[in-house]
């Protein structure tokens, strides 16, 4: 009978950890990001959601956190995990005015 309380504890701990790992959403609308800067922990992800009427190509060449999402059509989203601490410049390769900074902390 001791397995039931233990199982309940394990499930509750797992649900709590999942809730803490919620991903922030960065919207793309009006050829702009919803935030100019965000701060996250190393290993966390951001969701880039295109709720614009045009495609975007979100990317970064910042060392340790390089990525290129390619053409992201309206209504699509992609998660990006940031693996290294530091400042990450994120841009849209199609719309040069779209820029944001992601500060990744240890």
């Amino acid at each position: 009978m001791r397995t039931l309380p233990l199982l309940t504890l394990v499930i509750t701990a797992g649900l709590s950890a999942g809730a803490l790992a919620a991903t922030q959403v960065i919207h793309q609308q009006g050829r702009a990001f919803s935030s100019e800067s965000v701060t996250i922990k190393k290993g966390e992800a951001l969701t880039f959601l295109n709720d614009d009427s045009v495609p975007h190509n979100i990317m970064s060449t910042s060392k340790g956190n390089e990525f290129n999402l390619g053409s992201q059509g309206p209504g699509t989203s992609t998660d990006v995990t940031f693996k290294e601490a530091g400042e990450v410049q994120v841009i849209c390769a199609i719309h040069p005015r779209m820029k944001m900074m992601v500060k990744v902390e240890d």
Side-chain angles (χ1 to χ4, degrees), residues 6-33:
L6 182 58
L7 181 60
T8 302
L9 178 64
V10 169
I11 290 171
T12 303
L15 292 175
S16 297
L20 294 175
T23 303
Q24 293 183 55
V25 178
I26 303 299
H27 298 269
Q28 306 157 50
Q29 196 167 35
R31 293 182 175 92
F33 290 113

Side-chain angles (χ1 to χ4, degrees), residues 67-89:
F67 66 91
N68 185 338
L69 301 184
S71 182
Q72 186 181 28
T76 61
S77 66
T78 306
D79 293 343
V80 176
T81 301
F82 292 82
K83 299 174 184 164
E84 297 294 327
E87 292 188 346
V88 181
Q89 178 73 45

Side-chain angles (χ1 to χ4, degrees), residues 84-101:
E84 297 294 327
E87 292 188 346
V88 181
Q89 178 73 45
V90 177
I91 64 166
C92 174
I94 300 170
H95 306 102
R97 292 182 312 160
M98 285 182 68
K99 297 178 183 175
M100 72 173 294
M101 183 65 65

Side-chain angles (χ1 to χ4, degrees), residues 33-84:
F33 290 113
S34 58
S35 298
E36 290 183 11
S37 66
V38 296
T39 301
I40 63 172
K41 299 276 186 198
K42 183 169 73 170
E44 289 184 343
L46 292 177
T47 298
F48 289 92
L49 172 62
N50 184 353
D51 14 38
D52 214 338
S53 59
V54 297
H56 293 290
N57 181 6
I58 308 308
M59 62 176 291
S60 176
T61 58
S62 297
K63 187 173 175 84
N65 289 299
E66 301 91 345
F67 66 91
N68 185 338
L69 301 184
S71 182
Q72 186 181 28
T76 61
S77 66
T78 306
D79 293 343
V80 176
T81 301
F82 292 82
K83 299 174 184 164
E84 297 294 327

